[in-house]
Amino acid sequence: MKKLFLLFLLLPLLARSQSRGFQFKGKPAVIGLELAQNLPPYIIPDQYRVRKTVIVEPSIGFNTRDRKWTMITVGYAQGYIDENQPKPLTTERFEGGYAKLSFETQHTDARFLRIAYGPQLSMYSINGAYTFEGPTFGDYTGHFQEFIFVPGAHVALIIDTAIGRKFRIRLSGQITTGIKLGENVKTLYTPGFGFTPGYGRLAGGINGGIHLFYNLR
Amino acid sequence: MKLFLLTLLAGIIFASCYDCGPQQELTFDLSVSSYPDTIPVLKKVYSKNGVDTIDLSDKIPPYYIGTNTSLSLPLTLHENQTTYFFEFENRRDSLTVFYERKFYYDNHCGFVADVSTSKNPPRATGTFTNVRVTSKPYVGGEDANGILKSYYGGISVGVEL
């Protein structure tokens, strides 16, 4: 029921983009790959709580109108979280995929600046364990498995820098938000949405990205 | 905006009222009474973990002379019962506490360790004259009316020599 409700919420967004001329004019304009998401576990291992990540996030972009683009992004993410604050020690091994649809608009005066927004979806599974300390009688470890579905949306600020005629480097900062529709466990990291502290149903936060794009035409 | 801030504030206040329990080995309170006589000196408290003896004599409070004393003792998370042996200067007693373990995910706390009180209420048996048990959940939430179900919950056992 909740899923239906959210889909209902996202529909107007899609419909609006359709009416504005959401059509792919011939060949795609750019293809890209995300470069930064795998780095934090190695650069700031003490501050970043997600470990051993393998995140692949290719995207394809279409120039729909003058100074407007539609970007389709899919992602695969796997990784590992160790969480012992607060108790108990919980480990989560996540694996899953996500998809994003992003409508970009180039700023009229500052052409390097773009604003993007759109819906996104994440589906992933969790294999985890929790350990309750038993100082007297020994620790107790339990295991859990979850499949989590997260519909949501994002808003991003994008700065593009051209490198030669064919390549483009993109720095982006985005705010994501979504709702975790799992059975029981609300995990700390949501592929495509990022790290969310806390145990509630909300997913998302503020995160950055670096993309390399190749101009196809 | 005001409404939003109020909701946020209410959320913070209610979240702080929530008791997540120990989130580790649970303990129960044991109250020993011996009215009208004074309690004999308790020399040793121990339990068994398989064949190993676990000495818990350090849980004996330093001052307990009189007719009433209380101890806080751990419960094993591996079984639904824990047995204790007590060596007083003039008698030996045993006490077994029964409970039903529950490990689950709570939206306020993450994973919690609790005992079930609905299906199989915790009880205890032993060689003491009289054994009484009261039990509340260790993890405190709100009931349907928004009233806190328990705060500072847990199993309490009262025994008489």
Side-chain angles (χ1 to χ4, degrees):
Chain A
M1 195 59 212
K2 269 180 190 155
K3 287 176 197 176
L4 270 175
F5 175 65
L6 275 148
L7 207 65
F8 183 73
L9 277 181
L10 292 174
L11 272 174
L13 207 72
L14 289 166
R16 201 157 144 249
S17 62
Q18 288 263 346
S19 65
R20 272 190 185 174
F22 173 59
Q23 74 258 29
F24 307 132
K25 284 181 187 165
K27 284 191 284 183
V30 290
I31 50 166
L33 195 67
E34 215 285 330
L35 303 173
Q37 285 195 76
N38 287 306
L39 300 178
Y42 303 99
I43 298 169
I44 43 163
D46 296 335
Q47 287 85 354
Y48 205 72
R49 289 185 280 188
V50 187
R51 312 252 172 264
K52 295 179 185 168
T53 53
V54 178
I55 301 172
V56 186
E57 190 189 299
S59 44
I60 185 162
F62 299 85
N63 193 186
T64 50
R65 281 195 298 166
D66 185 31
R67 292 203 297 278
K68 297 227 186 280
W69 288 263
T70 297
M71 199 70 76
I72 298 166
T73 305
V74 290
Y76 165 83
Q78 67 167 61
Y80 188 85
I81 302 175
D82 261 337
E83 187 74 2
N84 56 4
Q85 276 299 321
K87 287 185 281 186
L89 173 69
T90 308
T91 59
E92 293 172 4
R93 177 158 180 74
F94 60 85
E95 183 173 16
Y98 54 94
K100 281 162 84 168
L101 187 63
S102 205
F103 306 111
E104 290 178 14
T105 308
Q106 196 174 44
H107 198 280
T108 324
D109 300 323
R111 286 191 160 241
F112 61 91
L113 199 66
R114 289 185 190 191
I115 290 165
Y117 68 96
Q120 66 181 73
L121 267 181
S122 182
M123 281 185 273
Y124 61 106
S125 63
I126 294 285
N127 263 303
Y130 54 88
T131 302
F132 289 106
E133 284 172 27
T136 315
F137 294 99
D139 294 351
Y140 178 86
T141 299
H143 297 271
F144 62 96
Q145 262 190 324
E146 284 290 330
F147 182 79
I148 300 171
F149 177 76
V150 189
H154 67 272
V155 181
L157 201 65
I158 295 162
I159 294 170
D160 274 1
T161 313
I163 299 175
R165 286 174 61 84
K166 282 290 176 192
F167 288 96
R168 200 145 52 88
I169 283 275
R170 160 173 297 190
L171 302 175
S172 63
Q174 62 166 4
I175 297 171
T176 56
T177 184
I179 189 152
K180 297 172 203 165
L181 303 175
E183 284 302 311
N184 294 305
V185 181
K186 316 302 179 301
T187 55
L188 296 162
Y189 181 82
T190 308
F193 285 84
F195 194 88
T196 319
Y199 306 105
R201 281 200 170 274
L202 276 181
I206 300 169
N207 39 65
I210 302 171
H211 286 81
L212 180 68
F213 281 108
Y214 179 73
N215 296 329
L216 292 171
R217 50 184 167 132
Chain B
M1 194 63 194
K2 267 185 187 171
L3 191 71
F4 172 75
L5 285 173
L6 270 173
T7 316
L8 198 73
L9 194 69
I12 292 164
I13 290 164
F14 280 110
S16 61
C17 285
Y18 205 90
D19 187 359
C20 294
Q23 290 184 292
Q24 59 160 12
E25 206 167 64
L26 304 170
T27 57
F28 73 100
D29 290 324
L30 175 68
S31 155
V32 185
S33 62
S34 174
Y35 191 77
D37 305 323
T38 53
I39 301 166
V41 174
L42 178 56
K43 289 175 133 177
K44 194 179 171 190
V45 176
Y46 63 96
S47 186
K48 296 247 176 170
N49 192 3
V51 287
D52 301 328
T53 299
I54 300 169
D55 194 340
L56 287 142
S57 302
D58 62 332
K59 306 281 182 195
I60 300 168
Y63 308 106
Y64 77 100
I65 299 157
T67 57
N68 204 320
T69 189
S70 61
L71 295 78
S72 179
L73 296 169
L75 296 168
T76 178
L77 296 172
H78 296 276
E79 283 181 90
N80 285 337
Q81 63 182 72
T82 308
T83 302
Y84 277 97
F85 303 94
F86 303 89
E87 281 184 18
F88 294 93
E89 60 181 351
N90 58 356
R91 59 182 285 171
R92 280 180 170 196
D93 284 287
S94 72
L95 174 76
T96 302
V97 182
F98 299 95
Y99 44 93
E100 198 168 303
R101 294 163 300 150
K102 276 200 305 189
F103 304 102
Y104 63 95
Y105 189 86
D106 184 289
N107 276 341
H108 294 80
C109 309
F111 285 98
V112 291
D114 202 352
V115 293
S116 163
T117 47
S118 52
K119 269 192 286 180
N120 192 5
R123 56 195 192 280
T125 57
T127 56
F128 295 100
T129 312
N130 193 359
V131 179
R132 299 176 312 278
V133 181
T134 58
S135 173
K136 283 180 184 177
Y138 286 81
V139 180
E142 289 168 12
D143 66 12
N145 301 317
I147 295 161
L148 284 172
K149 278 190 292 196
S150 82
Y151 202 56
Y152 306 116
I155 299 173
S156 299
V157 182
V159 296
E160 270 174 49
L161 292 179

